[in-house]
Amino acid sequence: MTEKAYIPDTKKEFSEMTAKCKDIFVKKLHDYGTSWRVMRPSSLTDQIYIKARRIRSIEEKGKSAVDEGIEPEFIGIVNYCAIALIQLRLGSGSQISPEEASKLYDESISRATSLMLDKNHDYDEAWRHMRVSSFTDIILQKLLRTKEIEDHDGKTLISEGIDANYMDMINYSLFALIKLNYGE
């Protein structure tokens, strides 16, 4: 009996990885509620930065001292970026119900997925030929851009806004998760 050849299906793989991220989001929502509602987007940017720096550190050192690899960190980036998009929309404030948080999470991921599908069409799946370490570097670059825009009170002259950077980071993290789970 021969094995079937793996045929990449970006939409399906993306859906599976977003479901994996949502599962973690929902479980943490159960444990912590919407305590993240107190965080400003700039604090979320810093939290995402910490996760991306840890990924890069593990990639460069080839090992981690804490018994977690890079996959949970990419999941964390997806989830924190979705939370940041919610916070950009609502502002930091009072708690919301888990149902409302889940609905807003889905809307944020849906916006990012729609952007990915459009870009993926135009770029013809170029991400499949990239290294996971390149996704890490691009995420770090997007974070530095986001911090710069935040330092300018969210105003840009010609560039995309903060929300576009969060959506790009979601997508690059999901691409990394796809590569980590399905291989090159």
Side-chain angles (χ1 to χ4, degrees), residues 14-34:
F14 218 74
S15 177
E16 288 172 5
M17 291 304 109
T18 57
K20 190 176 205 175
C21 294
K22 172 83 183 271
D23 180 61
I24 299 293
F25 177 81
V26 168
K27 287 175 179 169
K28 290 204 177 204
L29 197 56
H30 173 270
D31 291 348
Y32 303 133
T34 57

Side-chain angles (χ1 to χ4, degrees), residues 9-16 113 116-117 125 128:
D9 182 344
T10 298
K11 201 169 186 179
K12 178 179 172 282
E13 294 163 348
F14 218 74
S15 177
E16 288 172 5
T113 300
M116 179 279 300
L117 290 170
E125 304 243 330
R128 289 204 182 268

Side-chain angles (χ1 to χ4, degrees), residues 32-50:
Y32 303 133
T34 57
S35 58
W36 46 264
R37 287 284 294 130
V38 302
M39 295 183 80
R40 292 170 281 195
S42 58
S43 297
L44 290 160
T45 300
D46 288 342
Q47 184 64 41
I48 297 161
Y49 180 78
I50 290 167

Side-chain angles (χ1 to χ4, degrees), residues 8 43 59 67 92 102 106 110 114 122 130-131 134 138 156 180:
S43 297
E59 288 171 346
D67 191 24
S92 57
S102 187
D106 289 341
S110 178
S114 180
D122 291 354
M130 295 173 64
R131 297 173 186 95
S134 294
I138 292 168
T156 60
L180 292 170

Side-chain angles (χ1 to χ4, degrees), residues 105-150:
Y105 178 94
D106 289 341
E107 289 172 9
S108 296
I109 295 297
S110 178
R111 284 179 57 210
T113 300
S114 180
L115 176 66
M116 179 279 300
L117 290 170
D118 290 345
K119 286 185 173 185
N120 201 39
H121 172 271
D122 291 354
Y123 289 100
D124 201 27
E125 304 243 330
W127 67 271
R128 289 204 182 268
H129 305 285
M130 295 173 64
R131 297 173 186 95
V132 171
S133 61
S134 294
F135 298 140
T136 305
D137 291 350
I138 292 168
I139 290 166
L140 283 164
Q141 177 194 40
K142 296 275 180 190
L143 284 161
L144 294 175
R145 288 178 179 182
T146 300
K147 286 175 139 193
E148 195 69 31
I149 295 168
E150 289 169 343

